[in-house]
Amino acid sequence: LVDEMASSADAGKAQAQAAEIMQKFEAIKAEVRQYGLKIGELDSDRNEHSLVINTIKDLDPARKCYRLIGGGLVGRTIK
């Protein structure tokens, strides 16, 4: 009877440890997913910036351009 109670307690501990491990695994998996999304977002931004740079590189450096910064339109030259 005592052995049966001890093995039942061990099984309960093992189940609790398994549940804790699964929670940590799911948290890490969610974090990896978030990193993947952020990498995709940054890659998209990089591609967009490259497109703009390639578009304006052949233009006159004194030409005026406009940029939206924090909801405000700011004018400056290309150079």
Side-chain angles (χ1 to χ4, degrees), residues 15-30:
Q15 283 181 340
Q17 286 177 340
E20 184 180 342
I21 290 170
M22 285 303 296
Q23 284 178 335
K24 287 181 181 180
F25 174 74
E26 291 299 326
I28 291 170
K29 199 163 84 170

Side-chain angles (χ1 to χ4, degrees), residues 3-21:
D3 288 338
E4 199 174 291
M5 289 174 60
S7 66
S8 177
D10 288 341
K13 278 185 182 180
Q15 283 181 340
Q17 286 177 340
E20 184 180 342
I21 290 170

Side-chain angles (χ1 to χ4, degrees), residues 4-73:
E4 199 174 291
M5 289 174 60
S7 66
S8 177
D10 288 341
K13 278 185 182 180
Q15 283 181 340
Q17 286 177 340
E20 184 180 342
I21 290 170
M22 285 303 296
Q23 284 178 335
K24 287 181 181 180
F25 174 74
E26 291 299 326
I28 291 170
K29 199 163 84 170
E31 189 175 353
V32 167
R33 191 175 312 116
Q34 287 177 341
Y35 285 136
L37 291 173
K38 188 63 176 179
I39 288 170
E41 179 185 335
L42 292 173
D43 191 42
S44 176
D45 286 350
R46 181 182 54 85
N47 290 337
E48 190 174 322
H49 287 240
S50 294
L51 179 65
V52 170
I53 289 169
N54 289 335
T55 301
I56 67 172
K57 72 180 177 185
D58 297 329
L59 298 177
D60 178 22
R63 182 176 173 160
K64 190 108 172 156
C65 65
Y66 297 91
R67 182 176 177 190
L68 189 63
I69 299 177
L73 200 57

